[in-house]
Amino acid sequence: MNKTELKKVKKNLVQLKDDLLIEFRANQENGNGYMNHVGDSIDQAVDSSERELLFELNDIDRERLDSIKNALNKIEKNTYGSCERCKNNIEKKRIKVKPDAIYCIKCKSEME
């Protein structure tokens, strides 16, 4: 991967990170709003389900954020783009779709 491509990937990763942080903060604010809602038992059950979903989404967002930060660290260390399993280069088309990928298509398919 050349410097121009790597710079573009880094910019994309930073944007993804920023978007996730904005979404994460909005979800936290919404979660706090649920705590103040008072209603009948059905309303409270729905609110409880929504809070559980919100916490799950936050876990998914946190995992994605960690993955993006890991990719950004690899760019800084000049180790970005290598499959963590086979050490071959991750395909450019895979990086374009999932810039925080740590496995090449072949290894990821074998692992699933």
Side-chain angles (χ1 to χ4, degrees), residues 46-96:
V46 169
D47 286 348
S48 177
S49 295
E50 289 175 355
R51 274 195 304 272
E52 287 176 27
L53 179 60
L54 183 62
F55 290 133
E56 273 186 49
L57 291 174
N58 284 339
D59 288 343
I60 292 168
D61 287 345
R62 282 187 203 110
E63 288 175 16
R64 178 71 186 205
L65 185 59
D66 288 343
S67 180
I68 291 168
K69 286 180 179 179
N70 183 43
L72 288 167
N73 285 334
K74 286 182 176 191
I75 289 173
E76 295 303 316
K77 294 178 182 179
N78 294 318
T79 58
Y80 179 79
S82 294
C83 176
E84 289 189 2
R85 186 170 181 220
C86 71
K87 306 301 181 207
N88 290 327
N89 289 333
I90 298 173
E91 301 82 359
K92 287 182 183 179
K93 63 183 176 181
R94 177 153 171 76
I95 287 175
K96 188 174 184 177

Side-chain angles (χ1 to χ4, degrees), residues 5-42:
E5 291 170 326
L6 198 55
K7 189 175 181 178
K8 188 175 181 179
V9 169
K10 184 177 180 178
K11 182 179 178 182
N12 187 18
L13 284 165
V14 169
Q15 184 63 51
L16 286 171
K17 182 182 80 163
D18 291 346
D19 291 347
L20 271 174
L21 288 172
I22 290 167
E23 182 180 330
F24 180 73
R25 287 183 188 116
N27 285 342
Q28 282 185 321
E29 290 171 10
N30 288 339
N32 290 337
Y34 287 127
M35 301 296 184
N36 297 326
H37 180 74
V38 177
D40 63 19
S41 60
I42 294 173

Side-chain angles (χ1 to χ4, degrees), residues 101-112:
I102 59 173
Y103 301 112
C104 66
I105 293 171
K106 181 181 177 190
C107 288
K108 184 65 177 174
S109 295
E110 289 173 358
M111 292 168 64
E112 291 177 349

